[in-house]
Amino acid sequence: MFGTNKQFNLERFSFSIDGAFLSIYEEIKNHQLYFSIARSNLDVVEERNLIRIVPFHEGRELPYIYESGTGLLKLTTSKGTAEFTYEGPQIIRVRTEGIHLRLYRNPQLHEGGAPRKSGQFEISFNLLGRLLFVPITGTMTNTATWNFREVRPNPYYIEIDGEAAIHEYYTNTVAKEKYAPFDDCIKKVEADFEVFFANYPEVPVQYRNMARKAAWLVWSFRLGPRGSLKHTVIYMHKLFMNRAFGWHHCFHAMAMKNNTREAWNMMLTMFDYTNEIGGMADNVSDINQFIWTSSKPPIHGWALDYIFKNFDLSSLAKEDYEEFYGKLSTYTNWWLTHHDHAKKGVPSYYHADESGYDESTLFYRGLPLQSPDLIANVALLCEGCGKLAATCGKDSEAKTWQEKSEKLIRYLVDVMWDGERFQAIITATGEKYTCGSIALLQPIMLGDRLPKNITDKIAKRLTDPEEFLTEIGVASEHLKSDKQLLFAFTTGPVIAPTQMLLVQGLWDSGHREEAKLIAVRYLNAVLSKGPVLGMHNYRREPVKWNLLSEGPQIDPAYNVDFAFSAWYGSIFLLMAYSIMGRE
């Protein structure tokens, strides 16, 4: 079995729609299709292979190919077809013609699987909720028998010949009295996506096909409000990182230039998951999982600055600005007070994940750490608070916030810049040091707020093929670093969020040729390799560093990790428009 890949291949993400937890994907190890539910104790779905999907005819399994589009997944065999679409976020529809479909399940302890009224069948999972299978036309049978010693059904299959609906829910549900025609469901899904796609501005022609795929990823990974999700969030993935992360939503918002209201909602949605003193959860899910291992990079001021400069804000009212100001000022004060380890008005990192550069060499000397990227981020948070305060008529507060922003930038320039590059500072001792991490160049995100001599030097380093520039974008670790580790995510590979932070900063500082040089290399690499969040740079042999680097080499065309994520989708759309789509 293989995917024709007319639009998408399901090995690295699932066939799904906006709001749906139940989806279908292809297991990369055995190339079989499975139902999966985006719900897990971990941020990687523990049991992806819930129910195996197999076409049958006259007692034998049939080989097949599939085609996956926006609203229809179609399996084609030599004897007939099986099709899948959605009738709303919690109902998958199935239709077979010429063949029947067997859905295999090997239950875990204490799971359920039993017939219900009118030929229906219900599966209850330990964590994932329940599924109700409802025959609509034709027949539906099952082979489930109860194993009383193991407190679960024996392995069984459900067989569908005709049309059926599959409901996904937490506790209990009932079948609908009437289901919509199958073809009407396809048309509605396709129409819903087109409405969503209109949120994004047009990109240059060479990126338009990939832009639709990128937008489809974002749309199909939207979830909520449901369970403990208070409003709509966007999961990073529905299989491998099935969570909503704090800083991702800034990129999602920035990309939606054609819908200011939706972008504003995206900027606000993760503030639903802050604690009483303003700290924001690392990530959240629908089953009351608010993870506080760390927070995530505070790029909300950077994103807000972009929105103020590039969006039509006429649809926003004073109440919108006041709401955002209340949330952002509390969050900013959390960074300024609860991360001010040295009590000098300068925040520090307490966890590497707070930077987004989780395994970066930035932290090889330890924590707490004053880092240039954090100072730039918090300076923009303060500036954003000032802009919102001014819009709300709070002029004195606006002035205070702007003074705090300028103070942090002065510290960055006067204390952390050594004349050639930014340095990190060990908070406890004041010791300064440098390393190969691209994080030390990230203050370019301040644009023309930095002196020109500094932005000129950063621009030169970013476009130097002996330092950071590769054929596919800017590497996350210096190309000559002895600590480069291409198996990690932020210690060598080219990663999407860093590209966007850097190229927007170059653009805003007047280095537009350099911004386009980096953007076109990254975007073209995506066109070649597919929609991946991070890519290896195998332009040269990777530097050996510790035992991890002695393992088998990874195919250069294979992504680092987190392929086909919604995070990547918004970054591609944003970069293609904001850098390559402007003169």
Side-chain angles (χ1 to χ4, degrees):
M1 189 275 283
F2 59 93
T4 60
N5 203 24
K6 270 193 174 181
Q7 287 195 28
F8 310 109
N9 184 294
L10 300 180
E11 289 181 352
R12 303 299 289 174
F13 72 103
S14 51
F15 173 71
S16 188
I17 67 166
D18 183 353
F21 282 85
L22 179 63
S23 62
I24 299 172
Y25 92 105
E26 178 185 349
E27 172 56 53
I28 195 170
K29 295 178 181 178
N30 62 17
H31 299 292
Q32 299 291 318
L33 289 179
Y34 290 87
F35 284 109
S36 185
I37 298 176
R39 196 169 290 125
S40 173
N41 274 320
L42 305 176
D43 58 5
V44 175
V45 176
E46 298 157 282
E47 191 181 5
R48 297 195 304 272
N49 304 342
L50 281 183
I51 300 172
R52 187 163 67 97
I53 300 169
V54 182
F56 258 76
H57 181 72
E58 295 182 349
R60 66 184 182 90
E61 183 175 333
L62 297 173
Y64 60 93
I65 61 172
Y66 70 76
E67 298 174 86
S68 176
T70 304
L72 177 69
L73 171 60
K74 184 175 183 178
L75 281 58
T76 301
T77 75
S78 60
K79 300 296 182 179
T81 60
E83 296 173 310
F84 303 86
T85 190
Y86 282 84
E87 186 177 349
Q90 290 181 244
I91 304 175
I92 280 185
R93 292 287 302 277
V94 183
R95 179 171 67 182
T96 67
E97 183 175 345
I99 62 172
H100 47 267
L101 208 60
R102 285 189 181 178
L103 309 177
Y104 287 91
R105 174 63 185 159
N106 187 8
Q108 296 184 0
L109 292 176
H110 291 279
E111 287 189 351
R116 301 292 293 269
K117 64 180 182 180
S118 305
Q120 301 166 20
F121 188 86
E122 184 181 59
I123 302 176
S124 56
F125 301 101
N126 288 322
L127 174 73
L128 302 175
R130 296 185 175 197
L131 298 178
L132 180 66
F133 294 76
V134 180
I136 299 174
T137 65
T139 62
M140 190 178 80
T141 59
N142 70 86
T143 62
T145 57
W146 186 252
N147 187 326
F148 76 96
R149 294 189 183 279
E150 297 184 6
V151 199
R152 63 179 173 181
N154 291 307
Y156 62 89
Y157 62 80
I158 303 165
E159 188 162 284
I160 297 171
D161 184 1
E163 287 195 38
I166 306 172
H167 294 250
E168 181 270 320
Y169 49 99
Y170 290 124
T171 55
N172 294 104
T173 197
V174 295
K176 295 176 65 175
E177 292 186 5
K178 185 177 181 180
Y179 291 88
F182 192 92
D183 291 331
D184 289 354
C185 294
I186 299 172
K187 292 176 183 176
K188 184 178 186 306
V189 170
E190 292 173 341
D192 288 347
F193 171 69
E194 294 302 327
V195 170
F196 179 80
F197 187 52
N199 290 330
Y200 303 101
E202 189 171 76
V203 300
V205 62
Q206 66 268 35
Y207 304 121
R208 288 177 190 168
N209 182 48
M210 187 60 74
R212 287 186 64 85
K213 296 179 180 180
W216 193 90
L217 287 175
V218 179
W219 176 75
S220 65
F221 290 172
R222 284 162 51 95
L223 290 166
R226 191 176 171 199
S228 55
L229 298 175
K230 301 174 184 178
H231 297 96
T232 298
V233 298
I234 301 175
Y235 273 26
M236 183 171 174
H237 205 284
K238 285 185 175 177
L239 294 173
F240 305 110
M241 296 292 282
N242 60 321
R243 295 286 191 275
F245 292 83
W247 63 315
H248 295 188
H249 286 70
C250 294
F251 294 101
H252 295 317
M254 293 167 69
M256 295 180 178
K257 185 175 182 295
N258 290 356
N259 191 335
T260 300
R261 173 57 59 186
E262 182 66 17
W264 202 257
N265 291 340
M266 282 293 104
M267 286 293 293
L268 287 170
T269 189
M270 289 302 292
F271 287 97
D272 289 337
Y273 314 102
T274 54
N275 63 15
E276 63 279 2
I277 58 174
M280 184 181 294
D282 182 303
N283 59 81
V284 302
S285 79
D286 68 310
I287 50 176
N288 289 300
Q289 293 172 311
F290 307 144
I291 306 304
W292 288 91
T293 304
S294 73
S295 192
K296 280 291 185 276
I299 64 169
H300 303 76
W302 174 71
L304 183 63
D305 179 62
Y306 180 88
I307 290 172
F308 266 113
K309 289 177 178 177
N310 295 283
F311 280 50
D312 177 2
L313 304 178
S314 60
S315 62
L316 299 178
K318 184 179 179 181
E319 293 74 20
D320 295 310
Y321 296 111
E322 288 176 339
E323 179 187 14
F324 202 166
Y325 176 55
K327 295 177 184 294
L328 190 66
S329 59
T330 303
Y331 177 62
T332 303
N333 278 323
W334 180 75
W335 281 98
L336 290 171
T337 57
H338 297 279
H339 280 69
D340 185 8
H341 187 82
K343 305 302 179 186
K344 295 181 179 179
V346 180
S348 298
Y349 284 132
Y350 287 111
H351 194 296
D353 289 9
E354 292 174 335
S355 71
Y357 297 101
D358 303 358
E359 335 87 325
S360 172
T361 59
L362 180 65
F363 301 102
Y364 84 99
R365 299 292 296 274
L367 294 158
L369 185 71
Q370 292 180 3
S371 183
D373 57 314
L374 176 59
I375 308 307
N377 277 327
V378 177
L380 290 173
L381 281 181
C382 293
E383 183 182 287
C385 288
K387 289 180 178 178
L388 290 169
T391 306
C392 298
K394 303 177 187 294
D395 294 339
S396 62
E397 293 182 33
K399 181 180 178 182
T400 299
W401 282 115
Q402 185 59 34
E403 289 172 351
K404 289 182 178 181
S405 177
E406 292 171 359
K407 179 182 177 182
L408 287 170
I409 294 174
R410 285 197 302 272
Y411 184 86
L412 185 65
V413 173
D414 296 343
V415 179
M416 306 185 86
W417 179 259
D418 70 358
E420 293 297 325
R421 65 196 68 214
F422 285 113
Q423 303 172 91
I425 301 176
I426 299 173
T427 307
T429 65
E431 179 187 350
K432 299 178 182 179
Y433 69 92
T434 188
C435 65
S437 174
I438 196 66
L440 294 185
L441 282 73
Q442 191 173 305
I444 191 67
M445 67 191 294
L446 290 167
D448 59 9
R449 298 171 187 82
L450 289 177
K452 187 176 184 300
N453 69 300
I454 292 180
T455 62
D456 286 348
K457 288 183 178 180
I458 293 177
K460 183 178 180 181
R461 294 188 68 199
L462 288 174
T463 53
D464 185 344
E466 296 300 314
E467 290 212 63
F468 291 96
L469 185 65
T470 77
E471 291 89 345
I472 59 176
V474 174
S476 52
E477 179 76 9
H478 196 286
L479 295 175
K480 294 182 178 179
S481 169
D482 63 353
K483 294 180 176 61
Q484 192 177 121
L485 184 62
L486 297 184
F487 292 89
F489 188 57
T490 60
T491 319
V494 173
I495 54 177
T498 296
Q499 310 306 299
M500 191 63 235
L501 289 161
L502 297 175
V503 299
Q504 191 62 50
L506 288 168
W507 186 275
D508 291 341
S509 64
H511 295 88
R512 298 188 172 182
E513 290 186 8
E514 292 92 336
K516 287 198 170 188
L517 171 64
I518 295 169
V520 74
R521 290 196 179 192
Y522 175 74
L523 294 172
N524 288 348
V526 169
L527 296 184
S528 172
K529 297 176 181 294
V532 294
L533 186 65
M535 292 176 278
H536 288 290
N537 166 42
Y538 275 100
R539 181 170 56 85
R540 60 184 183 82
E541 286 297 315
V543 175
K544 298 293 185 182
W545 186 51
N546 79 30
L547 294 177
L548 293 177
S549 63
E550 302 298 330
Q553 293 295 309
I554 297 176
D555 183 336
Y558 195 74
N559 62 287
V560 178
D561 205 352
F562 316 131
F564 300 85
S565 74
W567 192 18
Y568 144 82
S570 287
I571 292 169
F572 181 91
L573 291 159
L574 175 60
M575 189 183 298
Y577 167 73
S578 68
I579 304 300
M580 303 309 299
R582 295 192 291 180
E583 295 299 327

